Amino acid sequence: MKDLTINNAIEFDLPAPFIGRHLIAGEWVESAETFERVSPSHGTVVSVCAKGDEAVTEKAINAARGAFAAGTWSRASGKDRAAVLLKVADLIEANVERIALLETLESGKPISQSRGEVGGAADLWRYAASLARTAHGDSHNTLGADMLGVVVKDPIGVVSIITPWNFPFWILSQKLPFALAAGCTVVVKPSEMTPSSTVMMGELLLEAGLPAGVCNIVLGYGQPVGSLMSSHKDVDMVTFTGSTAVGKLITQAASGTLKKVALELGGKNPQVICPDADLESAADAVTFGVYFNVGQCCNSSSRIIVHEDIAADFVARVVALSRKVKFGDPLDPDTQVGAIVTAEHNAKIDTYVQAAIAEGATLELGGSVLPVGGLGEQFYQPTVVSGVSPSMAIAREEVFGPVLVVLTYRTLDEAITLTNDSDYGLSAGIWSENIHTCLEFARRAQAGTIWTNTWMDGYPELSFGGVKQSGQGREIGHYGFEEFLEVKSLVMRVGRSRTPWVKQDA
Ligand code: NAD
């Protein structure tokens, strides 16, 4: 462990705890009960929020339903909707520091990455604003001389948005501006572990002039808030990002009213490393892919599939780079990897690693909690485990920590079989200088995103989502926008040519 690069605690005056309230029909609402978030890195209370119950969730859904029916937003022009979304983007950029600090204190992620996440989210709002003016259907002028058919797009209605703790502001921005651009009204529930940046978003929405009731926020837990948001008859769609287990519960809850469900769930994302790859770039991308956000990313590249001939050399490169990655105080602008979200999760990560070792895997690096000077032990060492068999839990399940698993292959067919031998299908990547190898992999790998000679690059224009148990539906891009639109056919007779059904002389 002494060879790792650790940033101990820096001097920093922590702010007073943030006070979060629900946002319902344009008003900030308290609850009798509150819940606290203790910073995973600093161990102090950083936010105190109103704890939602069924009654307040019901009020929020009613507000969204009422606002949708009123039409101030749902029937507003694309131009007017876009103007509000563009204002929100400007306000996000003006408030990056304030939001990023809370995000880091609640999640444990490095401040530099919170700044990137919050500032970068503005671009999602700008892109969604451009889409607000593009929603259109099609027309059919070939149905006969007396008929005209027009297919129009309507906002789907009231949307429940339920988000996780790992990228609270970014994931909210992958959903909310697209739903608003479509004309929907919404109820949002952030994770109970990272509620504050969503409350701050609510403040920005009001400042930007979003009409009351169009976006409502309820703070609290999956039970009862998220559960009611998923089953309520007045909700038309639920869009959820989180664990596959909770995604399945949401699908069940939504089935009572057959509402639309969009799910962004877990992943066990592989990168295949071919012998002809640029190994220096590949090793750096693998290191980034596994430690970014402490491996607490749906898109973490938590397993690599390396050609046998280069496996030892490649693992040595990744281990050497892992020792240089800066772990420690998330408030230090120089830190690259911060804290683990909860003590229980830290223990769970370790359980996966110890079980793999007990089953005969080789620990190349790390393998235990990481004490950081002045901050305690809610950190985990950068960990590389080789000699893993595809059937081990560490190779199949989402560890959600800074833990890389190494599998090996001999032929491309074998690498593709290992890639697809997973319940998940969120993303996959390949490193090779041969375009034919890359394209064959890209066409046969079962995943919503394929990266070739890169990892985790994303753009608002491209769709995002998974296959198999990584989810259903797509986010961002034009496909993500379409998820929030319903299709309606207008069948119109031109002139008075209709033949009566009832014969008048019968
Ligand atoms: P989680 O499933 O525990 O919680 C997510 C949200 O669901 C929280 O707001 C939680 O309060 C709520 N919730 C819990 N139980 C509920 C219920 N019964 N009904 C309705 N809502 C309920 O997930 P998490 O631990 O916050 O996040 C980590 C998970 O999210 C990982 O599995 C990760 O892969 C996944 N994730 C996926 C993506 C993606 O885009 N595919 C992105 C980020 C995270």
Side-chain angles (χ1 to χ4, degrees):
M1 195 182 81
K2 62 183 183 316
D3 297 336
L4 301 177
T5 310
I6 300 176
N7 286 349
N8 293 326
I10 60 165
E11 290 282 324
F12 197 93
D13 282 336
L14 295 179
F18 179 82
I19 306 298
R21 291 170 296 169
H22 316 291
L23 177 61
I24 296 171
E27 303 290 334
W28 295 105
V29 174
E30 295 184 354
S31 281
E33 276 191 82
T34 56
F35 63 100
E36 294 179 340
R37 175 63 176 153
V38 172
S39 162
S41 49
H42 289 72
T44 53
V45 174
V46 287
S47 59
V48 180
C49 289
K51 184 175 168 191
D53 56 12
E54 292 203 345
V56 87
T57 310
E58 189 84 42
K59 277 189 190 154
I61 295 170
N62 287 345
R65 176 50 62 195
F68 190 78
T72 323
W73 185 258
S74 53
R75 291 198 289 274
S77 68
K79 181 182 170 193
D80 288 350
R81 285 185 209 144
V84 173
L85 301 189
L86 290 171
K87 266 190 214 157
V88 176
D90 291 346
L91 288 169
I92 289 172
E93 280 171 346
N95 284 275
V96 168
E97 270 314 304
R98 198 169 73 90
I99 302 171
L101 177 59
L102 251 292
E103 184 111 328
T104 282
L105 290 174
E106 285 185 338
S107 70
K109 72 174 64 185
I111 188 72
S112 59
Q113 286 162 26
S114 291
R115 286 177 185 142
E117 180 187 336
V118 175
D123 193 36
L124 291 168
W125 284 78
R126 291 206 175 97
Y127 175 70
S130 73
L131 292 177
R133 305 184 71 163
T134 66
H136 66 275
D138 37 45
S139 58
H140 295 262
N141 200 22
T142 53
L143 306 178
D146 58 351
M147 286 303 236
L148 179 63
V150 177
V151 179
V152 297
K153 302 279 179 75
D154 276 341
I156 201 163
V158 174
V159 178
S160 287
I161 296 178
I162 303 175
T163 57
W165 49 262
N166 59 346
F167 293 94
F169 200 79
W170 181 266
I171 288 171
L172 178 61
S173 299
Q174 288 200 151
K175 299 174 187 287
L176 180 57
F178 294 84
L180 294 178
C184 297
T185 60
V186 306
V187 179
V188 181
K189 191 199 90 63
S191 166
E192 58 276 20
M193 287 186 260
T194 51
S196 300
S197 59
T198 298
V199 176
M200 290 173 161
M201 174 72 86
E203 294 167 3
L204 305 187
L205 296 177
L206 294 184
E207 198 178 336
L210 190 74
V214 172
C215 177
N216 306 277
I217 299 170
V218 184
L219 308 176
Y221 290 76
Q223 294 291 354
V225 180
S227 178
L228 185 56
M229 285 168 64
S230 309
S231 62
H232 200 286
K233 66 174 175 38
D234 285 336
V235 171
D236 300 294
M237 173 179 175
V238 187
T239 169
F240 168 79
T241 297
S243 61
T244 294
V246 172
K248 289 177 184 174
L249 292 176
I250 285 177
T251 306
Q252 283 165 15
S255 69
T257 52
L258 289 181
K259 58 177 88 313
K260 181 170 181 179
V261 178
L263 302 171
E264 298 293 339
L265 309 174
K268 190 73 189 176
N269 314 297
Q271 295 197 62
V272 172
I273 319 296
C274 300
D276 69 339
D278 170 355
L279 295 183
E280 200 180 320
S281 280
D284 185 75
V286 164
T287 308
F288 161 66
V290 69
Y291 302 130
F292 180 68
N293 219 45
V294 211
Q296 301 172 132
C297 282
C298 54
N299 262 334
S300 291
S301 71
S302 48
R303 55 185 179 126
I304 55 171
I305 302 170
V306 195
H307 193 278
E308 261 178 29
D309 292 350
I310 55 159
D313 171 43
F314 191 76
V315 169
R317 286 173 189 256
V318 173
V319 166
L321 289 177
S322 301
R323 292 186 195 281
K324 292 186 182 163
V325 177
K326 291 168 181 162
F327 277 68
D329 187 351
L331 290 173
D332 183 339
D334 187 44
T335 295
Q336 292 172 288
V337 185
I340 301 293
V341 71
T342 60
E344 298 72 43
H345 189 53
N346 213 15
K348 188 176 162 197
I349 293 168
D350 195 48
T351 305
Y352 275 110
V353 175
Q354 302 317 323
I357 296 167
E359 286 178 66
T362 306
L363 188 64
E364 304 275 356
L365 181 72
S368 63
V369 297
L370 174 66
V372 171
L375 293 178
E377 296 199 348
Q378 208 168 299
F379 296 81
Y380 202 83
Q381 291 186 31
T383 297
V384 179
V385 184
S386 65
V388 167
S389 81
S391 60
M392 289 180 186
I394 203 169
R396 309 197 70 78
E397 295 172 20
E398 207 182 23
V399 174
F400 232 52
V403 177
L404 180 69
V405 165
V406 184
L407 299 159
T408 56
Y409 78 94
R410 284 223 62 81
T411 65
L412 185 62
D413 270 349
E414 225 183 297
I416 294 171
T417 302
L418 283 170
T419 294
N420 293 340
D421 178 23
S422 173
D423 291 338
Y424 295 110
L426 190 59
S427 55
I430 186 158
W431 291 82
S432 168
E433 293 296 291
N434 185 328
I435 183 73
H436 304 288
T437 307
C438 291
L439 286 178
E440 177 159 7
F441 176 84
R443 294 176 77 171
R444 291 173 58 194
Q446 296 165 346
T449 300
I450 309 290
W451 283 293
T452 70
N453 295 314
T454 189
W455 189 258
M456 241 192 302
D457 290 311
Y459 298 88
E461 289 85 348
L462 303 183
S463 70
F464 176 62
V467 301
K468 299 196 271 187
Q469 293 190 37
S470 287
Q472 59 193 39
R474 288 293 176 269
E475 267 180 10
I476 63 175
H478 122 83
Y479 291 102
F481 177 54
E482 294 280 330
E483 297 277 346
F484 296 105
L485 292 167
E486 195 59 271
V487 176
K488 184 194 279 174
S489 293
L490 310 188
V491 184
M492 298 176 281
R493 185 172 296 279
V494 181
R496 292 290 169 266
S497 57
R498 186 175 174 274
T499 310
W501 188 58
V502 179
K503 303 238 177 336
Q504 294 297 335
D505 53 358

